[in-house]
Amino acid sequence: MLKRSFTVSLCLIALTLSTFAQTKKSPMAKAAGPAPDRAYLQKIWDGWATLDPANVAQYYAKGPHVFFDIAPLKYGSWDEYAKGAQAILAMYKSAKFTINDDLAIHSHGDLVWATATVAEQMTTKAGKVEMGNFRWTGVLENEDGKWLIVHEHVSEPLP
């Protein structure tokens, strides 16, 4: 009898906690489209391969968001990021970025975070070919039905 009461109590507690843990969406919020997938994320990197931040602006949230890149240490908004990246990318004449097979995508409601390594091949204006792999983490949020990067971290391993 005691065992049965304990089991029933435990089930009721679990049911109660799961009810509180559910997230509620605002009735005014626009439904998110399908979560970003490999193809969507590769489009972002293909846009960076054009060496023009304007070609990826559509994928980044505007306003005060932190983006970490290889250089400099960080940017406090998309406008800062685009300006800083343009100065660095101006040293190159071509680039190719490919998301490696270690891509992991995690969804939670209107948030998605993705982690991967990204193979890079960039050619400087002087003709030097640079190859390697970046670490990449992107956090995307559904904003008015569109998935936008609200935080990004790009780094490369030390030699």
Side-chain angles (χ1 to χ4, degrees):
M1 182 73 172
L2 183 58
K3 195 175 190 180
R4 178 182 276 171
S5 294
F6 177 74
T7 303
V8 170
S9 296
L10 189 59
C11 289
L12 287 172
I13 289 170
L15 181 62
T16 302
L17 290 176
S18 68
T19 301
F20 284 119
Q22 290 179 355
T23 57
K24 294 184 180 181
K25 292 192 180 227
S26 163
M28 302 298 276
K30 198 171 189 181
D37 59 5
R38 174 180 287 278
Y40 183 82
L41 300 174
Q42 185 60 56
K43 280 184 188 178
I44 296 168
W45 281 100
D46 291 344
W48 279 113
T50 67
L51 304 175
D52 183 357
N55 293 328
V56 292
Q58 65 184 324
Y59 299 109
Y60 287 81
K62 307 310 179 255
H65 297 283
V66 174
F67 304 104
F68 294 116
D69 207 334
I70 293 168
L73 182 61
K74 75 177 188 175
Y75 299 100
S77 69
W78 168 250
D79 291 335
E80 284 181 19
Y81 196 6
K83 184 178 178 183
Q86 183 62 55
I88 293 168
L89 295 172
M91 298 184 293
Y92 294 90
K93 65 179 178 181
S94 68
K96 180 178 180 183
F97 303 107
T98 305
I99 296 175
N100 291 322
D101 290 337
D102 59 355
L103 173 66
I105 301 172
H106 309 276
S107 299
H108 184 72
D110 283 343
L111 289 176
V112 167
W113 64 98
T115 61
T117 56
V118 177
E120 59 100 3
Q121 180 175 333
M122 299 177 75
T123 305
T124 67
K125 288 190 174 175
K128 180 182 175 196
V129 176
E130 299 174 354
M131 297 176 69
N133 284 284
F134 297 140
R135 297 178 196 104
W136 179 57
T137 301
V139 179
L140 297 90
E141 183 176 19
N142 176 42
E143 292 187 7
D144 296 324
K146 185 166 181 171
W147 291 99
L148 299 176
I149 297 174
V150 294
H151 175 73
E152 182 175 68
H153 189 127
V154 179
S155 64
E156 61 184 335
L158 293 173

